[in-house]
Amino acid sequence: MVGRRAVSQELLLLGERIRSQRIKLCLSQEALAEKAGISANTVSRIEGGQMSMGIETFIKLAQAMNADANDLLGIVPEVGKKQYQDMIHCISHLKSAEQEIVLRMVDVLVEGLRKGR
């Protein structure tokens, strides 16, 4: 039972990361499904952590969102991992309004970098 719960938790987290990326791109589930060549019901079930997917579906989703597979999987590269942790630690000690400013700035920077690819 514990193993089953762990898998379910991983599916939920993966689904949340996929949903978050889709929303950042201002895509509906239907639009993402069309871009990926899968059904909207499949997208819904994946985002809800109700369904695992094969590698082919995962690749289609990542490509349709122009997303990094590591980001979707929640994998932080070992190189720079300490830097990420330090940055998150620093941001977590800012006031709420300051955290919002930092997050908006990072969103703008990331979007600019993506468009420049």
Side-chain angles (χ1 to χ4, degrees):
M1 189 71 134
V2 173
R4 184 176 279 174
R5 221 178 303 141
V7 169
S8 296
Q9 184 64 26
E10 286 301 315
L11 287 176
L12 283 170
L13 292 172
L14 175 59
E16 287 173 10
R17 287 188 293 269
I18 290 171
R19 176 183 290 121
S20 176
Q21 180 67 20
R22 175 182 60 77
I23 290 170
K24 282 181 188 175
L25 296 171
C26 300
L27 291 172
S28 66
Q29 287 181 339
E30 293 78 13
L32 175 57
E34 187 175 322
K35 285 182 76 168
I38 60 177
S39 76
N41 185 48
T42 298
V43 172
S44 176
R45 293 182 65 209
I46 289 169
E47 286 185 355
Q50 301 164 338
M51 177 183 149
S52 60
M53 68 186 119
I55 189 69
E56 297 85 7
T57 301
F58 178 76
I59 290 170
K60 287 178 181 180
L61 286 169
Q63 288 175 338
M65 295 187 292
N66 195 27
D68 182 271
N70 285 333
D71 291 342
L72 292 179
L73 293 171
I75 298 171
V76 177
E78 287 302 316
V79 176
K81 191 173 188 176
K82 173 85 169 98
Q83 290 173 314
Y84 293 136
Q85 290 170 339
D86 290 346
M87 188 181 325
I88 290 169
H89 176 76
C90 290
I91 293 169
S92 70
H93 287 83
L94 296 173
K95 294 178 183 175
S96 206
E98 295 169 334
Q99 289 177 356
E100 270 301 309
I101 292 168
V102 170
L103 292 175
R104 278 187 267 150
M105 289 175 58
V106 169
D107 282 342
V108 168
L109 288 169
V110 168
E111 186 61 29
L113 290 170
R114 284 187 181 143
K115 287 181 180 176
R117 287 183 187 167

